């Protein structure tokens, strides 16, 4: 809390490699928030409702049911923490697919896995990544849509300071009390690798130096055949998020 004011607990959700890590790290020093990346869901349930905390995409906990596309049960979460603020961050499917390749190629290392992930293991890597993106952003987002605030990776990259101010507004945090911290976080968030860019800690092992930009990296990473394969799996869901899907014409 700042003074005697209470702020809601926060959970950052979304498909892997869609900005969940760097977005989550916004809370690692923002006002009174204490941040943790991917704690077990049971640990989230054990937290105090009156403490000021934020987490990113919790891990499944044994004995707890999960909703399709999520790593936990939304009903159980809301029954325990009714005041929690959920954020869902989405990224252009072709950029996310480009970035998902390392983790999905390593025994489908991104979680939660689609329930049919093993049936996709003999499919091309791009198709596996496309299926992961599509499943999480349809079933997972569909489950939390009514209670989560939707934000976009592209907005965060293009104007990180404005993005951070918007998050403060949603939470009721006074930005003037966090000005220095917000500027410091925003300086990390870059479309290109440069002296200011600082990658999220949990993302560093999943990166490739095979692209010069983060928005539109698919133009450097995916072939026309890759794009056609991904389009069949993701285009309907991409349009639901208002992404232009005329990809092959670009």
């Amino acid at each position: 809390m700042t003074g005697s004011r209470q702020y809601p607990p926060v959970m950052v959700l979304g498909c892997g490699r869609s900005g969940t890590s760097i977005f989550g790290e916004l809370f690692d020093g923002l006002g009174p928030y204490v941040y943790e990346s991917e704690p077990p869901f049971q640990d989230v349930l054990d937290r105090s409702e009156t403490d000021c905390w934020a987490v990113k995409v919790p891990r499944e906990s044994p004995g707890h049911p999960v909703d399709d596309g999520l790593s936990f049960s939304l009903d159980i979460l809301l029954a325990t923490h009714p005041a929690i603020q959920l954020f869902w961050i989405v990224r252009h499917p072709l950029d996310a697919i480009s970035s998902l390749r390392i983790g999905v190629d390593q025994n489908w290392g991104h979680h939660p896995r689609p329930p049919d992930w093993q049936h996709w293991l003999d499919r091309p890597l791009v198709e596996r990544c496309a299926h992961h993106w599509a499943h999480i952003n349809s079933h997972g987002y569909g489950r939390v849509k009514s209670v989560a605030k939707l934000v976009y990776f592209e907005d965060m990259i293009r104007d990180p300071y404005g993005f951070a101010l918007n998050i403060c507004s949603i939470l009721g945090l006074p930005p003037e009390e966090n000005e220095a911290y917000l500027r410091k976080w925003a300086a990390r968030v870059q479309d290109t690798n440069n002296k200011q860019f600082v990658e999220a800690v949990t993302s560093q092992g999943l990166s490739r130096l095979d692209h010069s930009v983060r928005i539109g990296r698919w133009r450097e990473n995916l072939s026309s055949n890759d794009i056609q394969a991904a389009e069949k799996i993701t285009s309907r869901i991409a349009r639901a998020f208002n992404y232009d899907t005329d990809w092959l014409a670009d």
Side-chain angles (χ1 to χ4, degrees), residues 150-170:
L150 177 65
V151 296
Y152 285 82
F153 175 88
E154 293 78 17
D155 291 340
M156 180 176 67
I157 296 296
R158 292 188 179 109
D159 181 13
Y161 182 67
F163 180 93
L165 288 179
N166 182 50
I167 300 305
C168 286
S169 177
I170 292 168

Side-chain angles (χ1 to χ4, degrees), residues 65-187:
V66 299
D67 294 334
D68 194 10
L70 300 176
S71 56
F72 59 92
S73 163
L74 180 64
D75 289 341
I76 292 174
L77 175 68
L78 295 181
T80 307
H81 297 301
I84 196 167
Q85 174 64 63
L86 303 180
F87 290 97
W88 188 278
I89 187 166
V90 66
R91 185 182 187 184
H92 189 293
L94 296 185
D95 285 340
I97 288 166
S98 298
S99 193
L100 281 165
R101 291 172 297 167
I102 291 179
V104 170
D105 199 33
Q106 297 175 355
N107 195 34
W108 214 295
H110 291 288
H111 81 102
R113 293 163 167 164
D116 62 348
W117 68 277
Q118 290 179 309
H119 298 156
W120 285 72
L121 291 178
D122 62 348
R123 302 282 285 272
L125 179 57
V126 165
E127 292 184 20
R128 282 178 271 155
C129 295
H131 178 57
H132 186 86
W133 184 94
H135 189 86
I136 300 302
N137 281 299
S138 56
H139 293 268
Y141 178 61
R143 182 70 181 95
V144 303
K145 182 178 180 179
S146 64
V147 293
K149 176 66 175 177
L150 177 65
V151 296
Y152 285 82
F153 175 88
E154 293 78 17
D155 291 340
M156 180 176 67
I157 296 296
R158 292 188 179 109
D159 181 13
Y161 182 67
F163 180 93
L165 288 179
N166 182 50
I167 300 305
C168 286
S169 177
I170 292 168
L171 298 174
L173 273 168
E176 63 276 8
E177 295 181 15
N178 298 276
E179 175 74 14
Y181 178 77
L182 295 177
R183 294 286 184 187
K184 181 180 178 181
W185 177 84

Side-chain angles (χ1 to χ4, degrees), residues 184 186-190 192-199:
K184 181 180 178 181
R188 297 177 54 192
V189 183
Q190 301 282 324
T192 60
N193 288 341
N194 54 52
K195 292 181 179 179
Q196 288 184 299
F197 170 68
V198 180
E199 188 165 18

